[in-house]
Amino acid sequence: MIKPTVGLIVFSESLVREDVYRKRRPIAERETKRFVEALEKDVNILWPRSREIRSKAQALQSIYELHAAGIDAAILYVPIFVAPALVAHTANLLRVPFALACNEAEDSLSQLVFLAAGGAIDQIGLKYLRVPGDAVEKSNYNILMNFLRAAAAKRRLKGQTYGSIGGRSLGISTGTADTALVERIFNVDTEHIDQLEVVQRAEAIEQEKVQRYMDWLKDNLAAIEFNNINFTKKHLEKQIRSYLATKGIVESFELDFAGIKCQPELSNGYCLQCINVALCNNNIDADGPKEPIALSCEADSDGALTMQILKLLTGGKPTSLNDIAWISNREMTLANCGSMAFYFGARSKDYHENMAAIKLVPHTFGKAGGASIQFTVPEGNSMTFARLFRQRTEYTLGVLTGKTVIKDRKQQSATIQVRPLIFANININKRAFLETFGANHIHAVEGNIKSELKALSDMLNINYIDYDVASD
């Protein structure tokens, strides 16, 4: 998971009551130590020079220091009774998401000031998290961590650049972006790049490097099923070249994540981009371990943005774009048009195991030819499925969770036989989903990060729909 950088602001008795401060200081130190010991394993704690805030001057200086240090969020911790106005005044100076936290020790009066300070902050009209009880207690601590992870993802997304390589694909309007809206809400710029850039760069890649990637794939994949028609060595070489070209584009244009149109110009005129998408989203390639580049098929802008958010929240895990091939109240079949990160082959730390579960097979579309990536995500994996979509000029984040299962691939429609598949047991209201979900694509990452996604939606002031139905 993402590890937030958090400014910790601890309040104590004011300078004007030194006698009270001396009496209460042992309690404050005890409770602060307890809180810090719980917190430091999951966050990077940044302290201001004043470890105890006892005056407005100290508060102001601490805010300057923490902002300059680049914190993702702040925690206002009240270990004992302190002046509520000082806490609220400090909160009002913060320019990052913040949480108000307390303890429940009977001798601390922490809850008393928590309520008083929270009320004062509410009167100002600030948006923040009140941790509802002892911040170290597990359920409360989880609420705090979900908030802090969301804040970290929000800050790290700010200032990033999305690269749209090509434009709308196959008439899929939900894949297009309102670039001004993306900039306003997410602080993300959009760079438009022609697909010709991929072709020109691809043809300039040295043959030696292409061969090294070819050998790496042959040595590690379960099979490469060439034919004499639309998937030959030459086709695979072009697919490798496309990936290496895209890596270069990401670097040259200073992109953080991207989408590539592929269909129909590249799929008919150069080669299918399935290897490109798989390797970009993967956590290793022939050059060694790497950070996944969230790359969507069909230049799906909101899809790529969703994938980048999932990647950030999970600390850099591979993500995927999937077509919703079939869905019911309890089951879902997802089938990308031909690509998914190799990581999902076995979800192992050992990339050999992941790649050993994968075949490259001739694709069923694309006049230019190339491979599709064939495998089924293994059973027993808890996953989060999410998608940003728009209704007029408002964003909604739709989320559900599920656990992967195995089904007979041969029983699926011929259209998706050659594709990477996810079969998942879910528990949703299908009617509500079909009435409101605003896209044909949904995006997956391992683990359950629904709470972090809800917290992030609240911070971004966008709508959130939890499609999961509580079990009876």
Side-chain angles (χ1 to χ4, degrees):
M1 298 293 280
I2 193 171
K3 193 167 187 179
T5 297
V6 177
L8 182 57
I9 303 174
V10 178
F11 294 87
S12 193
E13 182 57 66
S14 71
L15 295 173
V16 299
R17 296 209 304 173
E18 190 65 27
D19 57 330
V20 176
Y21 169 72
R22 286 194 298 269
K23 291 178 182 177
R24 307 281 292 165
R25 185 177 183 182
I27 300 172
E29 290 179 341
R30 180 195 72 204
E31 293 303 318
T32 299
K33 179 182 178 183
R34 176 172 166 268
F35 181 50
V36 170
E37 286 177 349
L39 196 63
E40 60 189 359
K41 67 181 184 294
D42 293 312
V43 307
N44 298 314
I45 300 174
L46 291 186
W47 291 86
R49 278 182 290 179
S50 297
R51 293 267 180 139
E52 298 174 303
I53 305 302
R54 302 180 62 198
S55 70
K56 291 180 181 178
Q58 290 175 333
L60 186 60
Q61 182 61 36
S62 296
I63 295 296
Y64 287 150
E65 292 170 7
L66 293 174
H67 282 165
I71 57 172
D72 298 317
I75 299 173
L76 307 183
Y77 185 59
V78 287
I80 59 173
F81 188 85
V82 300
L86 180 59
V87 180
H89 181 62
T90 304
N92 196 37
L93 298 174
L94 284 167
R95 294 297 176 262
V96 294
F98 69 92
L100 178 65
C102 70
N103 61 73
E104 293 183 345
E106 292 185 2
D107 60 350
S108 70
L109 298 180
S110 178
Q111 286 180 310
L112 180 65
V113 69
F114 175 85
L115 292 170
I121 295 170
D122 291 343
Q123 288 175 344
I124 297 170
L126 302 180
K127 190 171 183 178
Y128 68 107
L129 172 70
R130 284 199 202 189
V131 182
D134 180 20
V136 176
E137 190 274 325
K138 184 176 180 181
S139 62
N140 296 324
Y141 184 78
N142 288 341
I143 291 171
L144 175 61
M145 284 308 306
N146 293 336
F147 176 85
L148 296 176
R149 292 187 189 113
K154 178 178 181 289
R155 180 179 175 274
R156 296 175 200 187
L157 186 64
K158 184 175 184 177
Q160 292 195 350
T161 299
Y162 162 69
S164 180
I165 306 173
R168 187 176 72 179
S169 177
L170 304 178
I172 303 174
S173 297
T174 53
T176 61
D178 180 336
T179 58
L181 191 64
V182 170
E183 182 70 72
R184 178 170 65 82
I185 294 176
F186 303 97
N187 304 126
V188 168
D189 185 34
T190 300
E191 189 75 45
H192 290 276
I193 303 156
D194 198 282
Q195 290 187 112
L196 181 61
E197 190 80 20
V198 175
V199 177
Q200 290 178 333
R201 287 174 180 255
E203 290 303 305
I205 302 293
E206 304 89 345
Q207 181 61 34
E208 181 181 348
K209 190 166 189 177
V210 176
Q211 187 60 50
R212 182 159 54 82
Y213 269 77
M214 181 79 75
D215 294 341
W216 181 72
L217 292 174
K218 287 180 178 178
D219 291 344
N220 291 288
L221 293 171
I224 300 177
E225 298 181 358
F226 290 124
N227 62 19
N228 295 320
I229 306 168
N230 67 334
F231 182 40
T232 65
K233 181 180 176 182
K234 290 294 184 184
H235 290 103
L236 183 54
E237 283 186 355
K238 283 188 175 182
Q239 289 184 294
I240 292 169
R241 288 177 179 276
S242 295
Y243 166 63
L244 294 172
T246 302
K247 279 184 73 175
I249 289 170
V250 167
E251 182 178 356
S252 297
F253 287 85
E254 300 179 294
L255 307 180
D256 297 284
F257 58 105
I260 187 163
K261 182 180 180 184
C262 182
Q263 299 184 72
E265 294 88 355
L266 293 182
S267 60
N268 286 343
Y270 186 65
C271 72
L272 289 153
Q273 296 297 303
C274 303
I275 301 295
N276 185 3
V277 172
L279 288 177
C280 277
N281 284 297
N282 205 39
N283 57 0
I284 193 168
D285 63 14
D287 293 319
K290 68 179 186 68
E291 179 182 345
I293 302 166
L295 178 69
S296 66
C297 304
E298 297 164 349
D300 185 342
S301 301
D302 285 340
L305 180 57
T306 307
M307 293 163 71
Q308 184 70 351
I309 288 170
L310 297 178
K311 177 188 138 182
L312 289 172
L313 281 172
T314 56
K317 289 183 179 179
T319 61
S320 69
L321 177 148
N322 314 278
D323 288 314
I324 303 170
W326 181 82
I327 194 166
S328 70
N329 287 328
R330 296 301 175 93
E331 296 178 296
M332 180 169 65
T333 299
L334 303 179
N336 182 275
C337 55
S339 184
M340 195 183 299
F342 293 162
Y343 173 79
F344 290 104
R347 287 181 56 254
S348 172
K349 293 180 180 179
D350 184 350
Y351 78 90
H352 297 95
E353 294 181 18
N354 299 328
M355 294 181 70
I358 293 168
K359 296 179 181 180
L360 300 187
V361 300
H363 217 312
T364 55
F365 70 83
K367 293 178 182 179
S372 175
I373 295 164
Q374 187 187 62
F375 71 97
T376 301
V377 174
E379 65 183 340
N381 299 315
S382 295
M383 302 192 82
T384 299
F385 306 98
R387 169 75 188 196
L388 285 164
F389 53 88
R390 284 170 284 139
Q391 297 164 320
R392 297 189 178 183
T393 58
E394 290 188 357
Y395 264 102
T396 295
L397 181 60
V399 180
L400 62 144
T401 57
K403 181 167 282 191
T404 57
V405 295
I406 293 295
K407 292 186 178 181
D408 186 355
R409 174 181 286 273
K410 295 179 180 179
Q411 297 300 313
Q412 305 305 307
S413 69
T415 305
I416 64 174
Q417 288 282 344
V418 303
R419 305 181 183 191
L421 302 177
I422 299 176
F423 300 108
N425 285 342
I426 57 176
N427 188 14
I428 67 166
N429 182 322
K430 182 188 76 171
R431 178 173 178 175
F433 182 85
L434 293 177
E435 286 178 341
T436 60
F437 196 77
N440 57 306
H441 292 158
I442 198 166
H443 312 279
V445 73
E446 65 176 334
N448 187 334
I449 57 167
K450 268 200 330 184
S451 297
E452 287 89 343
L453 289 169
K454 174 62 168 67
L456 180 61
S457 298
D458 290 342
M459 289 178 192
L460 294 170
N461 294 313
I462 64 175
N463 301 315
Y464 177 86
I465 301 178
D466 180 356
Y467 287 104
D468 287 341
V469 175
S471 300
D472 296 332

